[in-house]
Amino acid sequence: MSDWVFWTVGVLFFAAALLALYRIARGPKLLDRMIASDMLLTTLICILGAEMVYNSHTRTLPLMLVLAATAILGAVVVARYVSRRGQ
Amino acid sequence: MNAQVTRRELRRRFIRQLPLLVGLVVLWMVLWGNLSWLNLITGILVAVVVTRVFYLPPVDLSGRFNPWHGLVFLATFIGDVIVASFQVAFLALRPGRIPTSSVIGVNLHTRSDLIMTLVAIALSLVPGSLVVEADRESSILYFHTFPTASGRDVEKMRRKVLLVESRIVRTLGSKDDLRRIAEEARR
Amino acid sequence: MLDIVIDVLTAVFLIVGAFLSFAAGVGLIRFSDAIARMHATTKPQILGLMVILAAIGLQSPNWSTILLLIPILVFQMLTAPIAAHMVGRAGYRTGVMAEDSLLIDELAGAIERAQQESGGAGTT
């Protein structure tokens, strides 16, 4: 596969991660930061997948699986914390 | 007499749990990545322990399953996900004002928890709608929908929710739910 | 010939996945409140993950890979609505939504009615 495909993909993912980091830094609320960090994690899962295609191996698939299965925990914990404090 | 009833009750409970158990065993074997007797036995052990320790109320299946309507639901669902994902993506990238959103309550026809849950999951996965609150007693789902620039978009969303519900009911709903959907269609 | 088709499809899938991630990031910055940002991020990313997984499947089409790809997608598809619901609910209850960003709010009326009913029952 030609290199420019991977350059495009890499730049887009990099920009997405930077935008998420910006939202984590700026907030303004805890929920915004949580949503942004969730997005960063999903971006990471996608990047792991793209890297496997680039280097044509499948060794990080279990890592993707574990991340996909546990990604929800952070969101649930933070959401519970926020709604309890809000009451 | 009494013992017989409880035995039948036990068997009924076991059959109800069976799909969950089989699913857990399959998941376990997939996670290990190979099929072997050891995996099968440890998988069954783990599945039994998990269903005992983290007990879930049994799901009432209607016993109906219509593969054709299931396929229709899956196809339209994937189509919805694709179309709506790009809509939201272009909305984010397009210059100009971001449209307003709405919180709407949709009264479902079904009385089944399972169907209500499936509708909620299916619509949560379609970009542009997420479930904020569910009223189980009166089967109302409250959605946060985005974008809704006008009342027309709100009505469109409401119709879409009911459409998704009718597809799911046609796939695995009870006879009662089917009748309610048919009545609604006639009106 | 088939190899070329597969490679082109893989490239298209990867670019679409990366584009959706990028658009989610832009939505995260531009949308006005937490719940709208939630719409912008999680859901396009599920399609993004789908196409990335499809690309992996295209490049190594064997059972052991595909059997691992399916649970990844299933986990994401089962957990994302739960996370979205919990965050949406927490956001709605704590009032993170910008007031003027809502066109219609039918839940506020329902909550008010429920509170009045329980309040009325309490006083009698």
Side-chain angles (χ1 to χ4, degrees):
Chain A
M1 218 171 304
S2 46
D3 260 356
W4 68 265
V5 170
F6 288 103
W7 272 103
T8 317
V9 170
V11 167
L12 284 174
F13 274 136
F14 183 68
L18 275 187
L19 291 169
L21 280 177
Y22 173 80
R23 187 44 87 193
I24 292 177
R26 276 295 300 276
K29 291 240 168 67
L30 186 57
L31 271 184
D32 299 289
R33 297 200 168 93
M34 212 286 311
I35 294 167
S37 84
D38 213 38
M39 190 215 132
L40 190 60
L41 188 60
T42 315
T43 310
L44 188 69
I45 296 175
C46 290
I47 291 173
L48 280 175
E51 186 270 335
M52 270 188 279
V53 174
Y54 180 59
N55 288 328
S56 54
H57 65 92
T58 56
R59 285 189 298 278
T60 34
L61 266 181
L63 190 57
M64 275 179 90
L65 183 71
V66 171
L67 283 177
T70 53
I72 186 181
L73 293 178
V76 169
V77 169
V78 172
R80 284 186 72 104
Y81 172 73
V82 167
S83 52
R84 193 174 313 155
R85 219 181 37 166
Q87 273 169 3
Chain B
M1 178 75 188
N2 202 6
Q4 234 177 2
V5 171
T6 53
R7 194 178 294 163
R8 194 188 297 159
E9 173 65 27
L10 274 179
R11 225 178 78 186
R12 208 170 56 92
R13 220 179 278 168
F14 177 71
I15 288 174
R16 271 187 168 181
Q17 290 264 318
L18 201 59
L20 182 64
L21 282 175
V22 171
L24 284 172
V25 172
V26 169
L27 180 64
W28 177 262
M29 284 167 51
V30 165
L31 289 184
W32 283 103
N34 60 348
L35 305 169
S36 70
W37 286 108
L38 184 66
N39 268 341
L40 184 66
I41 293 164
T42 51
I44 290 172
L45 279 179
V46 169
V48 167
V49 168
V50 164
T51 48
R52 278 281 161 277
V53 176
F54 305 102
Y55 179 74
L56 287 172
V59 175
D60 280 317
L61 292 173
S62 67
R64 266 188 70 252
F65 182 75
N66 185 324
W68 165 246
H69 283 296
L71 268 182
V72 170
F73 166 70
L74 261 187
T76 48
F77 170 69
I78 291 172
D80 274 357
V81 170
I82 293 172
V83 170
S85 288
F86 281 105
Q87 264 174 8
V88 174
F90 282 122
L91 203 66
L93 295 176
R94 192 190 67 184
R97 259 191 104 239
I98 305 291
T100 53
S101 42
S102 300
V103 176
I104 61 168
V106 182
N107 207 335
L108 300 182
H109 302 302
T110 180
R111 292 287 171 271
S112 138
D113 285 347
L114 176 68
I115 301 226
M116 206 169 149
T117 313
L118 286 177
V119 172
I121 289 182
L123 280 157
S124 291
L125 287 173
V126 174
S129 55
L130 70 87
V131 178
V132 182
E133 197 75 66
D135 182 347
R136 198 178 144 203
E137 256 100 71
S138 41
S139 311
I140 301 177
L141 285 178
Y142 291 95
F143 291 94
H144 184 269
T145 72
F146 178 81
T148 51
S150 65
R152 271 234 326 272
D153 293 335
V154 173
E155 289 316 307
K156 218 161 78 190
M157 189 64 213
R158 216 185 289 272
R159 274 202 304 278
K160 196 169 123 196
V161 173
L162 292 178
L163 193 65
V164 169
E165 190 208 4
S166 74
R167 283 189 199 123
I168 294 178
V169 166
R170 282 194 193 118
T171 308
L172 38 69
S174 63
K175 289 251 158 62
D176 251 17
D177 283 343
L178 268 178
R179 199 172 38 73
R180 263 187 289 250
I181 296 279
E183 267 170 28
E184 179 63 26
R186 235 178 289 134
R187 238 185 281 157
Chain C
M1 182 59 205
L2 190 65
D3 283 1
I4 295 174
V5 172
I6 284 180
D7 275 3
V8 168
L9 263 183
T10 309
V12 169
F13 280 171
L14 283 181
I15 289 175
V16 167
F19 166 76
L20 284 170
S21 266
F22 172 69
V26 175
L28 196 61
I29 299 302
R30 283 192 67 206
F31 287 178
S32 52
D33 58 58
I35 300 189
R37 283 179 199 138
M38 189 91 210
H39 284 298
T41 59
T42 39
K43 270 82 64 76
Q45 287 215 304
I46 286 189
L47 182 62
L49 186 66
M50 267 188 200
V51 289
I52 297 277
L53 292 180
I56 298 172
L58 277 178
Q59 284 299 305
S60 49
N62 53 55
W63 280 111
S64 62
T65 307
I66 291 166
L67 279 181
L68 266 176
L69 293 178
I70 291 170
I72 294 177
L73 189 61
V74 169
F75 277 139
Q76 275 284 314
M77 287 178 82
L78 283 181
T79 57
I82 302 170
H85 163 67
M86 293 201 67
V87 170
R89 192 170 133 134
Y92 186 85
R93 294 206 164 174
T94 53
V96 295
M97 274 184 283
E99 278 293 312
D100 55 340
S101 75
L102 278 186
L103 180 71
I104 303 179
D105 188 351
E106 291 174 354
L107 182 55
I111 289 177
E112 216 164 86
R113 269 197 304 282
Q115 273 171 351
Q116 268 171 5
E117 268 164 35
S118 64
T123 50
T124 48

